[in-house]
Amino acid sequence: MERAKTGIYGLDELLQGGFPRGRTVLVSGACGTGKSIFSMQFIYRGAIEFGEPGVYVTFDEMPEKLRQDMLNFGWDVKKAEQDQLISIIDASSARAGVPSSESNAIMPDQLDFNKLMIEVLRLCKQIGAKRLVFDSIPALGFMLNNEDEIRKSILKLSYILSSSGLTTILTSEVLERPLGSTEPWKFSKFEAEEYISDGVILLKFFGSRAQNMRILYIRKMRGTNQDLQLHPFEITQRGIEVKKIEEL
């Protein structure tokens, strides 16, 4: 199976070389676990280092804040946009009901799933994208009326992405599971995303308030003999780095 390098330091070694190309991977986690950094690292390093342009659809964060935050890791997203290697689609402004100054923006009257997908695929074709990020699925659900409609749209999204050939990350939010809890782990907001995705990666905090660490757990990855252990990871000056437990 052909692989797309993830761009996440230390992760490809756990996935037989990367994500299965053309597949969809769900990245879930609570607030502050690093989902947006993970997603932009996948897009940015994919474009700059691996020659695979990417589109980033943001529902939660304003694009300008996203660009500023990524400079902390030395990622000049704005220059990559100017070079037609990356495109950011602003869906956050329409969701908030305010105008956007972005060149690629979803208008309030375009907050419709079908119109959104037409615009996303048009832009992917325009820059020759190989990678795509939807950040996040719960925010995408904002434009829909009920959970039944949301689940149908998630299924439709899966079929569209499967036929597009794009290697895609979907992000979703889950509540933090208290230490020692016997409740089963949840992997998505609507408990449907993990079933339509080819891979599921969970980002979590682990430990006590006095000493927390971030951990990464690969729940599934179709067509891959993945590592099933819990792996600590750090957010460093160059982005997310997955560590071996003995390194810490």
Side-chain angles (χ1 to χ4, degrees):
M1 183 177 290
E2 191 178 353
R3 304 278 167 176
K5 293 181 180 181
T6 65
I8 309 299
Y9 300 104
L11 181 57
D12 290 350
E13 292 89 330
L14 309 178
L15 294 171
Q16 294 184 281
F19 294 151
R21 190 174 295 284
R23 303 294 185 93
T24 298
V25 176
L26 175 69
V27 177
S28 292
C31 175
T33 49
K35 299 184 297 298
S36 294
I37 297 171
F38 187 107
S39 301
M40 184 55 82
Q41 191 166 335
F42 167 75
I43 290 289
Y44 186 83
R45 293 197 67 211
I48 301 301
E49 298 182 34
F50 311 141
E52 298 186 5
V55 171
Y56 193 108
V57 186
T58 174
F59 289 89
D60 292 321
E61 190 66 81
M62 294 173 60
E64 192 52 40
K65 285 187 178 180
L66 196 60
R67 294 182 188 104
Q68 291 173 3
D69 291 344
M70 296 307 131
L71 286 172
N72 291 322
F73 308 109
W75 305 340
D76 193 342
V77 176
K78 188 171 185 178
K79 184 179 186 305
E81 291 177 274
Q82 292 169 347
D83 294 340
Q84 291 282 291
L85 294 173
I86 292 176
S87 286
I88 298 178
I89 296 180
D90 178 18
S92 63
S93 299
R95 186 178 170 222
V98 298
S100 174
S101 59
E102 294 290 322
S103 56
N104 299 307
I106 301 300
M107 298 295 106
D109 62 347
Q110 290 180 307
L111 277 180
D112 169 86
F113 180 79
N114 293 323
K115 291 179 180 178
L116 171 68
M117 290 309 302
I118 289 170
E119 177 60 19
V120 169
L121 294 176
R122 180 196 68 78
L123 194 55
C124 286
K125 184 176 181 181
Q126 180 178 309
I127 70 166
K130 303 293 184 184
R131 300 179 180 220
L132 174 64
V133 164
F134 273 89
D135 186 17
S136 65
I137 291 297
L140 174 63
F142 172 82
M143 67 175 67
L144 303 171
N145 297 320
N146 54 63
E147 288 203 7
D148 184 53
E149 189 176 340
I150 290 169
R151 288 189 172 92
K152 287 180 181 177
S153 294
I154 290 171
L155 181 61
K156 187 175 183 179
L157 176 65
S158 170
Y159 279 106
I160 292 171
L161 294 176
S162 293
S163 62
S164 71
L166 295 162
T167 306
T168 305
I169 285 179
L170 310 177
T171 70
S172 190
E173 295 175 7
V174 290
L175 293 175
E176 195 62 47
R177 185 172 176 264
L179 188 65
S181 171
T182 57
E183 294 180 10
W185 284 16
K186 291 187 177 180
F187 299 98
S188 65
K189 170 74 171 178
F190 302 110
E191 299 186 23
E193 299 95 308
E194 62 263 43
Y195 296 106
I196 60 95
S197 297
D198 299 291
V200 176
I201 293 177
L202 186 65
L203 308 181
K204 290 184 66 67
F205 287 109
F206 187 78
S208 64
R209 290 184 180 179
Q211 188 172 6
N212 252 321
M213 71 169 66
R214 291 180 171 92
I215 61 166
L216 177 148
Y217 172 47
I218 305 168
R219 175 65 178 189
K220 77 170 182 179
M221 194 66 62
R222 289 176 182 150
T224 305
N225 183 22
Q226 79 265 20
D227 190 309
L228 295 173
Q229 298 182 58
L230 301 180
H231 292 275
F233 73 92
E234 295 179 347
I235 298 175
T236 71
Q237 290 183 339
R238 63 176 189 162
I240 288 179
E241 297 185 32
V242 181
K243 303 287 187 178
K244 295 179 180 177
I245 193 68
E246 54 266 27
E247 292 183 79
L248 300 179

